[in-house]
Amino acid sequence: MSTREDIEQGTEFTPKFDDNGLITAIAQDAETGQILMVAYMNRQALDLTIQTGYATYFSRARQKLWKKGEESGHFQKVEQILVDCDQDCLILKVTVDAGQCHVGYQSCFYRALNMTTDKRLEFIAKKVYNPKEIYKT
Amino acid sequence: MSTREDIEQGTEFTPKFDDNGLITAIAQDAETGQILMVAYMNRQALDLTIQTGYATYFSRARQKLWKKGEESGHFQKVEQILVDCDQDCLILKVTVDAGQCHVGYQSCFYRALNMTTDKRLEFIAKKVYNPKEIYKT
């Protein structure tokens, strides 16, 4: 059993998976710093990511492993994996080619809250590809 | 009930809280793009954040609202809130003064995985303050 000090100050990687066996993973563009998406990994997805050097997640909706880009072709090459103090969250610094969001944007975070209204969103990005041309379903 | 298209392509802010009433929030330095920490908000924490302009989270460990900086003095001034495609994750673009991690670092992500070993971490940052001087407990 790792102590809190081991976890926070140590050099052993002991990722903490939640009750569903998942850990949060943030994909961040290694070059620009833009946050592209947030997804989840189980142990196997994390191992595959480390072994292959390409991001594999666990899809909660589909309940299966999901190599990012397997449908769209937009893979994420993992340059670095960072872990936070309590080791329950990861950042994947990734190199990507084109749009990373299935809606058609470079990042899933393409809307900002209008802080004066507290419930209206404003689009802050333009689509970089047409998802209908990529996702054939 | 919002449709998937409303949620993904619409301009209404309909944050999706999980079974515990929480939504993931990533604090990102508005100036540098550095990801500082990941925490959780319940509805009240989100409302307070929007109303006050300073980040308030819900501490899962302590099961209570937690205005970031209430103990350390290191508040997060919220410049912008972004939401992702399915509206179950937020980015807070924040302005901060000093270290944001309770361990003493600017960011909670102060260690990177050595990808050739798959279980060793390497420190990639230096402490920016001494937590013992700030947290008096």
Short mmCIF file of all heavy atoms in Angstrom, two decimals, chain A residues 112-118 120 122, chain B residues 49-51 53 78-81:
data_model
loop_
_atom_site.label_atom_id
_atom_site.label_comp_id
_atom_site.label_asym_id
_atom_site.label_seq_id
_atom_site.Cartn_x
_atom_site.Cartn_y
_atom_site.Cartn_z
N ALA A 112 -17.53 28.63 -25.56
CA ALA A 112 -17.26 29.28 -24.28
C ALA A 112 -18.55 29.83 -23.71
O ALA A 112 -19.45 30.24 -24.45
CB ALA A 112 -16.25 30.42 -24.46
N LEU A 113 -18.63 29.80 -22.41
CA LEU A 113 -19.80 30.34 -21.72
C LEU A 113 -19.75 31.86 -21.76
O LEU A 113 -18.72 32.47 -21.46
CB LEU A 113 -19.79 29.86 -20.27
CG LEU A 113 -20.93 30.32 -19.38
CD1 LEU A 113 -22.26 29.77 -19.87
CD2 LEU A 113 -20.68 29.89 -17.94
N ASN A 114 -20.86 32.46 -22.13
CA ASN A 114 -20.99 33.91 -21.99
C ASN A 114 -21.22 34.20 -20.51
O ASN A 114 -22.31 33.91 -19.98
CB ASN A 114 -22.15 34.42 -22.85
CG ASN A 114 -22.31 35.92 -22.73
OD1 ASN A 114 -22.09 36.51 -21.66
ND2 ASN A 114 -22.69 36.56 -23.82
N MET A 115 -20.20 34.72 -19.84
CA MET A 115 -20.23 34.81 -18.37
C MET A 115 -21.26 35.82 -17.87
O MET A 115 -21.58 35.84 -16.69
CB MET A 115 -18.84 35.17 -17.83
CG MET A 115 -17.76 34.18 -18.21
SD MET A 115 -17.62 32.81 -17.03
CE MET A 115 -16.62 33.58 -15.74
N THR A 116 -21.74 36.68 -18.75
CA THR A 116 -22.74 37.65 -18.29
C THR A 116 -24.14 37.06 -18.28
O THR A 116 -25.05 37.61 -17.68
CB THR A 116 -22.74 38.91 -19.19
OG1 THR A 116 -23.10 38.51 -20.52
CG2 THR A 116 -21.38 39.58 -19.21
N THR A 117 -24.33 35.94 -18.97
CA THR A 117 -25.67 35.36 -19.01
C THR A 117 -25.77 34.07 -18.20
O THR A 117 -26.85 33.67 -17.83
CB THR A 117 -26.06 34.97 -20.46
OG1 THR A 117 -25.23 33.87 -20.87
CG2 THR A 117 -25.86 36.12 -21.41
N ASP A 118 -24.68 33.41 -18.02
CA ASP A 118 -24.51 32.14 -17.31
C ASP A 118 -25.21 30.93 -17.94
O ASP A 118 -25.13 29.83 -17.41
CB ASP A 118 -24.81 32.27 -15.81
CG ASP A 118 -26.25 31.98 -15.42
OD1 ASP A 118 -27.07 31.66 -16.28
OD2 ASP A 118 -26.52 32.07 -14.21
N ARG A 120 -25.62 30.95 -21.83
CA ARG A 120 -25.47 30.96 -23.28
C ARG A 120 -24.02 30.64 -23.65
O ARG A 120 -23.08 31.12 -23.02
CB ARG A 120 -25.83 32.34 -23.87
CG ARG A 120 -27.20 32.88 -23.56
CD ARG A 120 -28.32 31.91 -23.78
NE ARG A 120 -28.41 31.39 -25.15
CZ ARG A 120 -29.28 30.45 -25.52
NH1 ARG A 120 -30.09 29.88 -24.65
NH2 ARG A 120 -29.30 30.04 -26.76
N GLU A 122 -21.02 30.56 -26.67
CA GLU A 122 -20.59 31.20 -27.90
C GLU A 122 -19.54 30.32 -28.57
O GLU A 122 -18.64 29.81 -27.89
CB GLU A 122 -19.98 32.59 -27.59
CG GLU A 122 -21.04 33.57 -27.11
CD GLU A 122 -20.46 34.82 -26.46
OE1 GLU A 122 -19.23 34.90 -26.30
OE2 GLU A 122 -21.26 35.70 -26.10
N THR B 49 -18.83 29.93 -9.01
CA THR B 49 -17.71 30.30 -9.88
C THR B 49 -18.14 31.35 -10.89
O THR B 49 -17.45 32.36 -11.11
CB THR B 49 -17.16 29.05 -10.59
OG1 THR B 49 -16.69 28.13 -9.61
CG2 THR B 49 -16.04 29.40 -11.55
N ILE B 50 -19.29 31.13 -11.50
CA ILE B 50 -19.79 32.08 -12.50
C ILE B 50 -20.14 33.42 -11.85
O ILE B 50 -19.80 34.49 -12.35
CB ILE B 50 -21.01 31.49 -13.23
CG1 ILE B 50 -20.60 30.25 -14.04
CG2 ILE B 50 -21.66 32.53 -14.14
CD1 ILE B 50 -21.76 29.43 -14.58
N GLN B 51 -20.79 33.35 -10.69
CA GLN B 51 -21.23 34.58 -10.02
C GLN B 51 -20.07 35.41 -9.49
O GLN B 51 -20.08 36.64 -9.58
CB GLN B 51 -22.16 34.24 -8.84
CG GLN B 51 -23.55 33.81 -9.27
CD GLN B 51 -24.27 33.03 -8.17
OE1 GLN B 51 -23.97 33.18 -6.98
NE2 GLN B 51 -25.22 32.19 -8.56
N GLY B 53 -16.65 34.93 -10.24
CA GLY B 53 -15.49 35.09 -11.11
C GLY B 53 -14.23 34.44 -10.56
O GLY B 53 -13.15 34.58 -11.13
N VAL B 78 -11.17 33.57 -12.86
CA VAL B 78 -11.65 32.87 -14.04
C VAL B 78 -11.87 33.85 -15.19
O VAL B 78 -12.69 34.76 -15.10
CB VAL B 78 -12.96 32.13 -13.75
CG1 VAL B 78 -13.50 31.44 -15.00
CG2 VAL B 78 -12.75 31.11 -12.63
N GLU B 79 -11.11 33.65 -16.27
CA GLU B 79 -11.21 34.54 -17.42
C GLU B 79 -12.25 34.02 -18.41
O GLU B 79 -12.92 34.80 -19.10
CB GLU B 79 -9.86 34.65 -18.13
CG GLU B 79 -8.68 35.02 -17.22
CD GLU B 79 -8.79 36.42 -16.64
OE1 GLU B 79 -9.63 37.20 -17.11
OE2 GLU B 79 -8.04 36.73 -15.69
N GLN B 80 -12.37 32.70 -18.49
CA GLN B 80 -13.25 32.11 -19.49
C GLN B 80 -13.56 30.67 -19.07
O GLN B 80 -12.73 30.01 -18.45
CB GLN B 80 -12.51 32.09 -20.84
CG GLN B 80 -13.39 31.87 -22.06
CD GLN B 80 -12.59 31.91 -23.35
OE1 GLN B 80 -11.45 31.48 -23.41
NE2 GLN B 80 -13.20 32.43 -24.41
N ILE B 81 -14.78 30.24 -19.40
CA ILE B 81 -15.15 28.84 -19.16
C ILE B 81 -15.51 28.21 -20.50
O ILE B 81 -16.39 28.71 -21.21
CB ILE B 81 -16.35 28.73 -18.19
CG1 ILE B 81 -15.96 29.29 -16.81
CG2 ILE B 81 -16.81 27.27 -18.06
CD1 ILE B 81 -17.11 29.30 -15.79
#
